[in-house]
Amino acid sequence: MIQKFLSIPSKRQLTRCRWGLVTLTLSITACAATPPAKQAIIEGERSVPIEAKKGMVVTSHTLATKVAQQVLAEGGNAIDAAVTAGFALAVTQPRSGNIGGGGFMLISNDKKKMVEAIDYRETAPSGASEKMFQDSKGNVVTDRSRFTHLAAGVPGTVAGLLMALERHGSISRERALAPAIRLAEEGFIVPARFTKGTIEAAAMLKKWPATKKAFYKANGSPYQPGERLVQKDLAETLKRIAKEGRKGFYQGKTADLIVAEMKRHNGLITHNDLKGYQPEVRKPVHGTYRGYDIYSMPSPSSGGTHVVQILNILEGYPIGKYGHNSAKTIHLMAEAMKRAYADRSKYLGDTDFVKVPVAGLTDKNYAKTLRDQINLNKATPSKTISPGTPPGYESNETTHFSIVDRFGNAVANTYTINFSYGSGIVVDGAGFLLNNEMDDFSAKPGVPNAYGLIGGEANKIEPRKRMLSSMSPTIVKKDGKNFMVTGSPGGSRIITTTLQVIMNVIDHNLNILAAVSAPRIHHQWLPDEIRIEQGISPDTIRLLEGMEHKVSQQSAMGAIQSIMITNGTFYGAPDPRRSTSSAMGI
């Protein structure tokens, strides 16, 4: 039976929708034309995640969720479904789903007692250099690292997804790509979010003829909700991957199209860069929190390291007793976040190029030294915080999906092209967007990137190096069994978004949908402010300001797609912050 969650209302105005004998409370815009088999129930402040016994898929787009759920229904495993969803999102959600970017996949199997990380982050082209985004005076030229062909790293998504399928999948490559090919070749009905995105990004996207052709009508107008978008060039690219595997992307016609695009616009990616790209299998970062095992992504992601580090700091406080989103809880979270992000600025980078003291940063004794610096009643100014000395040290637009199956597999996958629509550049004739991940390097140590994150020597630009990331696909285990699968988009806010959902469940005993939906906060050391979503009490804000915190209410953070497993039942929770998010189970 398919089960789908509809978005929690962003406004208080509610209406009643009735389908047969099933009566549900939903937002006005959520009432579908035809009844689903079963829906999550949302009443005022109460939210109930959907349930399933044989498998669960939670993604940021309904069509991707549906095709992945079909794979599970046919007997495929979570890895099969994840690869199917990954390619489908490249078609239906081009602003973040991709084959022109890269990411991270975390795979857990209860029966084999195995947790594995697949790193398919993009790499710098062989022609990249440390000062390539600086002018003759040493000043960073920001647009050069964001909206030009120089901004693109060598894509890793295709190689990474295919590696996962080859190592752990049970279906053919052709079956995994078939839904994506169909959605590109026959088209799909665009939702309102797609239209809104192409309108907002029109100046960037229409600058490039191939991009304008891919995402707009012949007269240059955007596709409206309910209209069908067909992507023939992308369909042909996907067919080559289905037929030839990685050679169908990193060699042959697609590679020729990528290199020709680079040569026309002074880009750096070469045939050798593409042919030589390899994803890596890595050991996950591991930590513990109040009796739970936390597994997350290692470098070149900073996410797993700092999720564990922050949890280690907070484990010394009775957070549950202090209360969910109370002033004291938020104060302590912010203080822990500051110290982790300060360490990030100095220590984190690609471990194939620099030594990252992961063991020291995730050491509970080191966490205690940081915890001892925290005043329970007063904010520590960020200007007085500098990176610590962990033991063993020698001198917005992304998408995540979570999938579990009846065989004990769990997959947490986060991948990206960096900004919404990446560089805005579609490879002419290939139909997919190029990433602008080169901006995630330190263009100049000490100068913030587009997300305000400070980087140092460890993350400087070097040929074939992977740029630092905040992506944090995470799997939580209890008593050796998969318990929670989670992760989010959100740039620098990915780490703190993932952290808070884990804490909401473990510390505050929220059900997974309530944990996902609750208002979030974020602090990243610099700028020195607590960023909050709507929903934090004005009284709480006043108390935080009384502790000398600067509090800034801004737009929603992240779009975390999560699953919780309890007593053999899968509970799916798509994030209502993304209107196309959905969960389906069998």
Side-chain angles (χ1 to χ4, degrees):
M1 179 180 290
I2 294 176
Q3 303 164 321
K4 177 184 171 186
F5 166 80
L6 294 182
S7 298
I8 290 177
S10 59
K11 298 181 180 179
R12 293 286 181 180
Q13 190 173 11
L14 300 172
T15 189
R16 305 288 288 184
C17 303
R18 183 179 294 275
W19 291 303
L21 299 177
V22 182
T23 302
L24 306 170
T25 304
L26 302 166
S27 70
I28 290 175
T29 57
C31 297
T34 58
K38 187 176 180 181
Q39 297 284 353
I41 300 172
I42 304 158
E43 295 185 3
E45 300 302 320
R46 178 170 173 265
S47 53
V48 181
I50 69 164
E51 300 179 18
K53 290 288 188 180
K54 296 182 179 180
M56 180 69 68
V57 179
V58 189
T59 86
S60 57
H61 198 287
T62 302
L63 292 175
T65 302
K66 183 176 181 180
V67 298
Q69 186 271 347
Q70 289 172 339
V71 169
L72 294 182
E74 292 171 5
N77 65 29
I79 297 85
D80 300 325
V83 175
T84 302
F87 281 114
L89 284 165
V91 180
T92 60
Q93 195 169 286
R95 66 197 293 164
S96 52
N98 71 84
I99 57 172
F104 304 120
M105 182 181 289
L106 203 63
I107 301 170
S108 171
N109 184 283
D110 280 348
K111 295 178 181 178
K112 297 179 181 178
K113 306 296 182 184
M114 176 274 294
V115 185
E116 176 178 286
I118 296 179
D119 170 6
Y120 58 96
R121 183 68 159 156
E122 303 92 331
T123 58
S126 56
S129 58
E130 182 179 353
K131 298 181 179 181
M132 62 185 287
F133 298 127
Q134 298 177 27
D135 63 19
S136 58
K137 297 181 180 179
N139 299 311
V140 175
V141 184
T142 54
D143 282 357
R144 189 183 297 171
S145 67
R146 300 172 189 177
F147 303 113
T148 72
H149 289 68
L150 289 173
V154 181
T157 294
V158 172
L161 294 181
L162 294 183
M163 172 185 271
L165 190 66
E166 291 163 3
R167 288 176 65 83
H168 303 290
S170 66
I171 63 174
S172 69
R173 184 174 66 241
E174 291 82 1
R175 171 64 184 89
L177 274 101
I181 292 170
R182 184 180 67 252
L183 288 165
E185 192 165 46
E186 299 176 6
F188 68 97
I189 303 302
V190 304
R193 184 171 183 266
F194 184 96
T195 302
K196 184 174 184 288
T198 54
I199 291 172
E200 291 176 345
M204 175 179 73
L205 299 180
K206 290 185 178 182
K207 176 182 176 181
W208 306 98
T211 309
K212 183 177 179 181
K213 175 186 173 185
F215 301 129
Y216 298 87
K217 299 176 187 177
N219 63 3
S221 63
Y223 285 87
Q224 295 300 313
E227 295 181 336
R228 183 176 296 272
L229 173 68
V230 174
Q231 301 171 81
K232 293 290 188 183
D233 287 346
L234 180 57
E236 294 303 312
T237 297
L238 293 169
K239 286 179 184 178
R240 289 190 287 272
I241 298 169
K243 182 179 179 181
E244 304 172 41
R246 61 170 291 142
K247 287 185 178 180
F249 184 86
Y250 294 95
Q251 299 179 54
K253 182 173 181 179
T254 302
D256 290 344
L257 291 169
I258 294 170
V259 173
E261 182 75 31
M262 290 290 142
K263 288 181 176 179
R264 282 194 297 271
H265 300 282
N266 300 313
L268 294 179
I269 297 175
T270 67
H271 279 102
N272 285 337
D273 289 328
L274 292 165
K275 186 177 180 180
Y277 179 84
Q278 288 292 337
E280 298 290 341
V281 176
R282 302 191 187 276
K283 182 180 179 181
V285 170
H286 174 243
T288 61
Y289 185 66
R290 306 193 197 281
Y292 293 81
D293 285 284
I294 314 296
Y295 292 90
S296 194
M297 200 65 203
S299 298
S301 172
S302 62
T305 299
H306 294 309
V307 166
V308 171
Q309 181 184 15
I310 296 169
L311 288 173
N312 283 345
I313 296 170
L314 295 173
E315 194 171 31
Y317 302 105
I319 296 295
K321 179 181 176 181
Y322 293 155
H324 179 256
N325 277 349
S326 69
K328 180 170 280 189
T329 295
I330 292 175
H331 165 69
L332 293 172
M333 289 167 62
E335 291 297 299
M337 291 171 184
K338 289 180 193 178
R339 287 158 174 83
Y341 278 85
D343 283 350
R344 183 188 191 276
S345 73
K346 179 175 181 178
Y347 298 117
L348 270 291
D350 183 351
T351 50
D352 292 339
F353 284 75
V354 296
K355 182 174 182 180
V356 178
V358 175
L361 291 168
T362 58
D363 182 82
K364 289 188 183 291
N365 289 324
Y366 178 56
K368 184 180 184 302
T369 67
L370 298 179
R371 188 164 56 244
D372 290 344
Q373 301 170 9
I374 297 173
N375 185 321
L376 283 173
N377 302 304
K378 185 177 179 182
T380 309
S382 289
K383 64 183 179 182
T384 68
I385 296 173
S386 58
T389 307
Y393 177 65
E394 299 174 2
S395 250
N396 260 315
E397 203 38 65
T398 300
T399 193
H400 175 89
F401 52 84
S402 297
I403 302 175
V404 295
D405 65 27
R406 72 194 82 176
F407 311 114
N409 294 299
V411 175
N413 187 89
T414 313
Y415 70 161
T416 186
I417 46 176
N418 199 24
F419 290 6
S420 184
Y421 304 103
S423 63
I425 301 166
V426 164
V427 176
D428 195 9
F432 64 86
L433 283 157
L434 290 168
N435 68 82
N436 58 350
E437 291 291 1
M438 293 295 287
D439 187 63
D440 273 358
F441 280 117
S442 298
K444 183 179 182 180
V447 176
N449 70 1
Y451 296 101
L453 290 171
I454 305 294
E457 289 289 327
N459 192 38
K460 69 182 180 182
I461 302 170
E462 297 180 73
R464 301 182 182 87
K465 186 178 184 179
R466 299 174 199 264
M467 58 291 293
L468 188 59
S469 172
S470 295
M471 292 185 285
S472 311
T474 299
I475 294 174
V476 180
K477 287 177 171 284
K478 179 66 173 175
D479 299 325
K481 299 291 185 181
N482 294 326
F483 172 71
M484 192 188 315
V485 187
T486 193
S488 180
S492 61
R493 298 173 292 279
I494 292 173
I495 297 169
T496 52
T497 296
T498 305
L499 170 88
Q500 286 167 86
V501 170
I502 294 171
M503 293 179 65
N504 287 347
V505 171
I506 295 175
D507 286 305
H508 304 296
N509 200 30
L510 299 185
N511 76 49
I512 190 64
L513 184 54
V516 163
S517 305
R520 296 175 189 145
I521 69 104
H522 172 75
H523 204 305
Q524 63 180 51
W525 180 46
L526 297 172
D528 191 356
E529 65 179 25
I530 300 177
R531 173 173 172 166
I532 65 170
E533 293 183 329
Q534 290 182 344
I536 302 296
S537 162
D539 291 336
T540 298
I541 295 172
R542 282 193 289 272
L543 288 170
L544 288 167
E545 290 173 339
M547 296 178 186
E548 301 184 16
H549 287 287
K550 178 184 177 183
V551 181
S552 175
Q553 182 175 293
Q554 297 185 37
S555 58
M557 292 180 271
I560 195 162
Q561 315 298 340
S562 304
I563 299 170
M564 189 165 72
I565 306 165
T566 304
N567 297 324
T569 300
F570 307 131
Y571 296 90
D575 197 323
R577 293 163 181 80
R578 185 160 288 179
S579 62
T580 51
S581 295
S582 68
M584 296 182 186
I586 59 170

